[in-house]
């Protein structure tokens, strides 16, 4: 049995919550591609500590985990889905664009939508061709501009964070600056307003 | 705290009912339609004068009764009125504090706290008379004699400093959620740090429900020293975000633009998305 197999087996055979968490941490720390599907399975175990460790492991593995994360996205468990989207958002591989767009716009679970909204601002656009980049960034802006009008404050907050990220990583900064000004005209929620002001100050160095 | 008011944009999400229909349904012969309409008007924050007036009338409803003598429509109307922000509802809600249905009294207390209605303070204080000694479970029912936690929270929100000596003994009530309500109100009324600290320690308790309650209490009082403990707490991110939002709003109320403290809170919130 290889070391990776032993680590995977320890996760599968853990018979208590503390053992599971310890085994997942060990497997995550090993950063082996063979462990990807086991780490993804842990996202659905309804153990937040183990899931957080698995997300961390998947993020460190990076790009090789992207395709499996997309393929195994759990349509029936929104808790697991939120962890997977958080991992995809942090890995920031632009292959996740479509799944992030769909999750941000139409998932029923706010935790999934928030994670996707944040992720849409931070993808590594440079891995796309110039032509693809323009289209992908326009799509991200369109979706974020749409959900920044959501009825749920936490979705609007996450959309502002996503827009700030997009303003930093793309050349859409002027449009996003305009969008922020527009949001401040209508936004009633003090927390969301504060987040817009923070984004403006960090992006455009307006002074308080 | 208050979501955006009723606007044309919201019409798209209301699916099915119109404002006129919902108001008319409050007088429908079908009691389930009345019940739904009251919930709906609150949910979509329809704070037009006619909606508020119709809900105030529904606080006196006699038609919709449960087997145990409860008033389902009154409960929903009282809950909705708290969300609509119209103080015309205050006298009717104060009368509800004397309703025989526990859940009507509970909803009324919560809504009066939300409506910023200091005229309700004497009636709320009356429900605490007898103190912890009479604050006992009602046999066969899942609640105490009065909705103590809601009443105490409302008094805290209304800055009822005259109620401090009445609330203080509830810090030792046998039920944790009543203790938390008293702790939260005592902080709001005295600004003494030890009450905030006590709620912060509750974030490390064993019971998830109580950790969620403590999160919501810390958000309500905007207790800034708890920011890191909130972000670390073993609870769902949605609850933590809501608590941090409370801290942030507290900051935003005092300062036009984000302070360093507010920025710290937002950094923690961003991390939880």
């Amino acid at each position: 049995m290889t070391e990776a197999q032993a680590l995977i087996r320890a996760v599968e055979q853990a018979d208590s919550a503390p053992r599971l968490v310890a085994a997942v941490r060990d497997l995550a720390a090993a950063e082996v591609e063979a462990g990807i599907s086991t780490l993804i399975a842990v996202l659905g175990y309804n153990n937040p500590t183990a899931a957080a460790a698995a997300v961390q492991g998947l993020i460190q593995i990076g790009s090789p985990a992207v395709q499996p994360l997309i393929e195994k996205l759990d349509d029936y468990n929104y808790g697991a889905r939120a962890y997977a989207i958080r991992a995809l958002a942090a890995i920031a591989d632009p292959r996740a664009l479509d799944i992030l767009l769909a999750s941000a716009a139409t998932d029923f679970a706010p935790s999934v939508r928030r994670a996707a909204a944040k992720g849409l601002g931070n993808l590594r656009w440079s891995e796309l061709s110039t032509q693809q980049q323009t289209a992908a960034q326009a799509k991200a802006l369109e979706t974020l501009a749409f959900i920044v009008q959501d009825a749920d404050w936490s979705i609007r907050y996450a959309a502002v964070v996503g827009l700030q990220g997009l303003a930093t990583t793309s050349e859409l900064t002027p449009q996003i600056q305009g969008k922020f000004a527009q949001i401040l005209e209508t936004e009633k929620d003090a927390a969301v307003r504060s987040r817009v002001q923070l984004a403006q100050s960090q992006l455009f160095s307006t002074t308080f | 705290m208050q979501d955006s008011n009723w606007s044309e944009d919201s019409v798209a999400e209301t699916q099915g009912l119109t404002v006129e229909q919902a108001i008319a349904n409050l007088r429908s012969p079908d009691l389930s339609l009345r019940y739904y309409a009251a919930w709906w008007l609150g949910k979509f924050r329809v704070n037009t004068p006619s909606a508020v007036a119709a809900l105030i009338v529904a606080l006196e409803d006699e038609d919709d009764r449960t087997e145990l003598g409860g008033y389902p429509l009154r409960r929903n109307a009282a809950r909705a009125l708290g969300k609509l922000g119209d103080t015309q509802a205050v006298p009717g809600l104060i009368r509800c504090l004397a309703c025989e249905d526990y859940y009507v009294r509970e909803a009324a207390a919560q809504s009066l706290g939300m409506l910023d209605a200091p005229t309700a303070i004497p009636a709320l204080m009356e429900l605490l008379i007898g103190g912890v000694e009479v604050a006992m479970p009602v046999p066969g029912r899942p609640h105490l004699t009065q909705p103590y936690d809601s009443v105490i929270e409302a008094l805290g929100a209304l800055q009822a400093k005259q109620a401090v000596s009445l609330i203080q003994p509830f810090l030792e009530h046998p039920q944790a959620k009543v203790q938390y309500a008293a702790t939260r109100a005592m902080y709001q009324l005295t600004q003494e740090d030890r009450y905030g600290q006590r709620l912060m320690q509750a974030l490390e308790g064993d019971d998830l429900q109580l950790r969620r309650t403590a999160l919501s209490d810390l958000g309500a009082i905007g207790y800034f020293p708890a920011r890191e403990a909130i972000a670390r707490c073993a609870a769902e991110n949605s609850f933590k975000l809501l608590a941090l939002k409370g801290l942030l709003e507290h900051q935003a109320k005092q300062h036009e633009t984000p302070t360093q403290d507010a920025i710290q809170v937002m950094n923690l919130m961003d991390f939880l998305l």
Side-chain angles (χ1 to χ4, degrees), chain A residues 86 110-111 114-115 118 149-151 153-154 157-158 161 164 188-192 194-195 197-198 202 208, chain B residues 2-5 13 237-238 241-242 245 248-249 252 256-259 263 265-267 269-273:
Chain A
R86 262 182 219 132
S111 54
R114 289 192 296 260
K118 183 181 176 186
Q149 304 171 46
D150 199 87
W153 75 271
S154 72
Y157 184 102
V161 173
Q164 178 178 358
K188 297 229 167 47
D189 194 292
V192 179
S194 295
R195 191 62 189 81
Q197 291 174 317
L198 177 61
Q202 290 176 339
F208 286 149
Chain B
Q2 199 168 346
D3 286 20
S4 58
N5 286 334
E13 342 160 339
N237 284 4
S238 301
L241 281 170
L242 205 55
K245 178 179 196 257
L248 181 54
E249 282 173 347
E256 192 84 344
T257 51
T259 56
I263 293 171
V265 174
M266 286 188 269
N267 287 337
M269 288 173 77
D270 288 6
F271 193 72
L272 293 168
L273 298 176

Side-chain angles (χ1 to χ4, degrees), chain A residues 128-204:
Chain A
L128 299 171
S129 71
T130 317
Q131 199 182 358
Q132 285 173 321
Q133 262 186 50
T134 313
Q137 290 169 356
K139 266 277 174 218
L141 176 58
E142 181 190 305
T143 297
L144 290 169
F146 173 65
I147 66 168
V148 87
Q149 304 171 46
D150 199 87
D152 179 338
W153 75 271
S154 72
I155 304 290
R156 300 201 300 280
Y157 184 102
V160 172
V161 173
L163 285 169
Q164 178 178 358
L166 191 59
T168 317
T169 57
S170 74
E171 284 172 17
L172 297 169
T173 324
Q175 285 97 309
I176 293 169
Q177 186 165 18
K179 192 82 219 157
F180 281 149
Q182 212 181 324
I183 296 168
L184 280 183
E185 278 173 30
T186 53
E187 178 63 57
K188 297 229 167 47
D189 194 292
V192 179
R193 292 182 64 84
S194 295
R195 191 62 189 81
V196 174
Q197 291 174 317
L198 177 61
Q200 287 178 321
S201 75
Q202 290 176 339
L203 285 170
F204 316 118

Side-chain angles (χ1 to χ4, degrees), chain B residues 142-177:
Chain B
H143 57 69
L144 305 173
T145 43
Q146 297 292 352
Y148 291 98
D149 51 342
S150 301
V151 169
I152 290 170
E153 282 177 12
L155 287 166
L158 296 174
Q159 281 299 315
K161 300 223 195 302
Q162 62 270 53
V164 163
S165 59
L166 216 46
I167 292 171
Q168 192 160 29
F170 285 90
L171 291 167
E172 310 301 331
H173 189 276
Q175 283 193 4
K177 65 174 187 170

